[in-house]
Structures are given as C-alpha cells and as structure tokens.
Amino acid sequence: MLQILLVDAAVSAAAFLALWLVSLKIRDVSFVDAWWGLGMALIAWTAFLQGPPTPRGMLLTAICTVWAVRLGGYLLWRWRRHGADRRYVAMLAHAEKERGWSFAKASLLLVFSLQYVMQFVVALPVQLGQAPGPLGPLAFAGAALAVIGIAFETIGDAQLVAFKADPANAGKVMDRGLWRYTRHPNYFGDACTWWGLFLIAAEALPWGLASIVGPILLTFTLIRWSGVPTTEGRLKKTRPDYAAYVARTSGFVPWFPRKA
C-alpha cells in the first residue's frame, strides 16, 4: 500500500508540475479547477493499475472516473467560456503586491502545491480501497450514495447554467429546482460522492477505514473554507435578494424551504 501511495504521489506531482508550466505561458491558473476532478481519476487509475484488478478497485475507479470526467469537463467548459477566475486573479495580485512574489512563485506555492496536497488526501479512498476482498453491504450502500451524489451535482450544475443563460434572470438569485432545497446542491453532491467512495473503501480493512481523512477534508473545505464561504461572500454583495434566500433555504443538506 505504501508503494501505491508513493507512485500515486509521484505521478500526480509530475502532472501538477506540467500544468504549472502551462500556467506560466498563458498567465492564468484558473484551469486548475478542472484538474481537481481529472487529477483524481489519474490517481485512481494509477493506483488501480499497480496491482491485480479487484472488484472493489474496479468499482472505486469506475465511479471516480465518471465523477471526474463530468466535473472536470464542466469546469473546463466554464473556464473556456468565462475566462480567468476572479478569485485566483485577486489571490495572485495580493501575493505580488503584499509579498513581492512573482506570478511563478505565487502560482506554484498558493495554487498548484496546495491543490496537489489536498487532491492527494481527498483521493485516499480510491487509493487505500484497492485492497482485495469481496464487496459487502457497505460497499453497495457507498456506491448508491456516490451515484446519487453525481446525479445531484450534475442536475444542480445544469439547472444553474440554464438559469444564467436566460437574460431575464440577470441579477436574480437562483432558487429553483434543487436550488430551492439547498443553496449548494453541487457541493452537497460532491460530498455525497466522496463519502460514498469512502464507504466502498472502508470494507478493505484496515487501510480503507483510514481513508476517512479524505471525505472529512473535502467536507470541511466545502462548508468552511473555499466552497460555501467564498461563494456566499460574493453573492451577498452582488445579489440584493440573497439574504432572503439564505433565510429560507438550507445551507447544505437539502430540506424544504422555511416560511418567511
């Protein structure tokens, strides 16, 4: 298992280094968000190909690949359509102004290195779950949860894209479809997917159980760090009706809207 982790870490590091060099040429790091998903699939396949195929390994790798291609493709399309992400632009400009860092140094330390470490940790279930052994009830429950998560975030993203494409919705708050029941159906679906992958891996004792660090880190990141706080901080400033939306709509776990 240690060998699998070391090889995965080396392959992922090489990929991030190559992407960092690309960012230096185009002076934009925003495409790294698309690699968040696609890089997970790379890690899963690297782990899977290092040993004899097992039912658990095939299930983990297949689900991770579907999730990664969907999310990575969507974020890559969004980057190509909308250009540089304002969050990264502001972060790198701040590092240059306040710390005197060059674009190369700031992008390497604040973006690519950080995402490399976080991606590797979050992907622990698809690495540590490759151990042999039969699939049990926990694995099937995890697969169902992961599929629900992928469907949830796919539908949520599609509904948001359709909402924004209508000029009549300019400046309005998206509160329809899944967004009526949770302010972040995409983040909730993401969390469900990786908790599901953990449940599949957890039956591969003892390593699989240790991979719980991955979904814990992901959930913390989504709820307390770069997910919900970043998104809602911007929307509260740009959408006058967002405070009312927050008052009636669940923050993360879907639930029926509260009455005013």
Side-chain angles (χ1 to χ4, degrees):
M1 195 57 65
L2 179 60
Q3 176 184 328
I4 289 177
L5 293 176
L6 290 175
V7 173
D8 288 352
V11 170
S12 180
F16 269 102
L17 180 60
L19 292 174
W20 173 65
L21 293 175
V22 171
S23 76
L24 298 184
K25 293 185 67 68
I26 65 176
R27 305 290 293 182
D28 183 12
V29 302
S30 305
F31 63 88
V32 75
D33 284 347
W35 187 249
W36 174 257
L38 298 173
M40 298 279 202
L42 175 65
I43 290 174
W45 278 99
T46 303
F48 177 72
L49 294 174
Q50 290 185 62
T54 65
R56 190 180 322 281
M58 289 187 285
L59 183 60
L60 286 169
T61 305
I63 292 176
C64 181
T65 301
V66 172
W67 169 83
V69 170
R70 202 291 308 178
L71 179 62
Y74 168 67
L75 293 178
L76 189 61
W77 168 83
R78 193 175 70 176
W79 170 62
R80 296 293 296 171
R81 184 180 180 87
H82 299 290
D85 190 312
R86 64 174 68 89
R87 298 171 302 164
Y88 291 123
V89 173
M91 179 194 300
L92 297 178
H94 178 79
E96 179 181 1
K97 180 179 179 180
E98 299 297 327
R99 303 183 183 182
W101 289 4
S102 65
F103 177 88
K105 181 178 180 179
S107 61
L108 178 62
L109 297 181
L110 299 180
V111 180
F112 290 92
S113 295
L114 180 60
Q115 286 221 17
Y116 163 70
V117 174
M118 292 187 62
Q119 185 184 82
F120 184 82
V121 174
V122 172
L124 283 176
V126 297
Q127 301 179 78
L128 300 181
Q130 298 288 337
L135 295 174
L138 200 60
F140 291 113
L145 179 60
V147 170
I148 291 172
I150 294 172
F152 209 91
E153 64 177 328
T154 300
I155 294 171
D157 283 339
Q159 290 174 339
L160 183 60
V161 169
F163 178 83
K164 289 183 175 181
D166 187 348
N169 294 325
K172 295 183 179 180
V173 174
M174 171 54 163
D175 59 355
R176 309 169 189 174
L178 296 180
W179 300 81
R180 172 178 168 81
Y181 304 100
T182 169
R183 302 198 299 270
H184 304 281
N186 48 350
Y187 296 156
F188 175 75
D190 220 24
C192 285
T193 300
W194 281 93
W195 278 106
L197 289 170
F198 161 71
L199 290 179
I200 298 172
E203 288 184 338
L205 297 173
W207 294 103
L209 196 58
S211 69
I212 194 174
V213 177
I216 288 177
L217 175 61
L218 177 67
T219 306
F220 172 80
T221 300
L222 292 175
I223 298 178
R224 298 295 184 186
W225 188 14
S226 63
V228 172
T230 301
T231 302
E232 296 204 339
R234 174 174 53 84
L235 290 175
K236 287 177 181 177
K237 298 177 182 178
T238 59
R239 299 289 189 273
D241 297 334
Y242 196 74
Y245 175 63
V246 170
R248 67 177 182 268
T249 310
S250 174
F252 192 72
V253 178
W255 194 247
F256 296 101
R258 294 181 290 271
K259 293 183 179 181

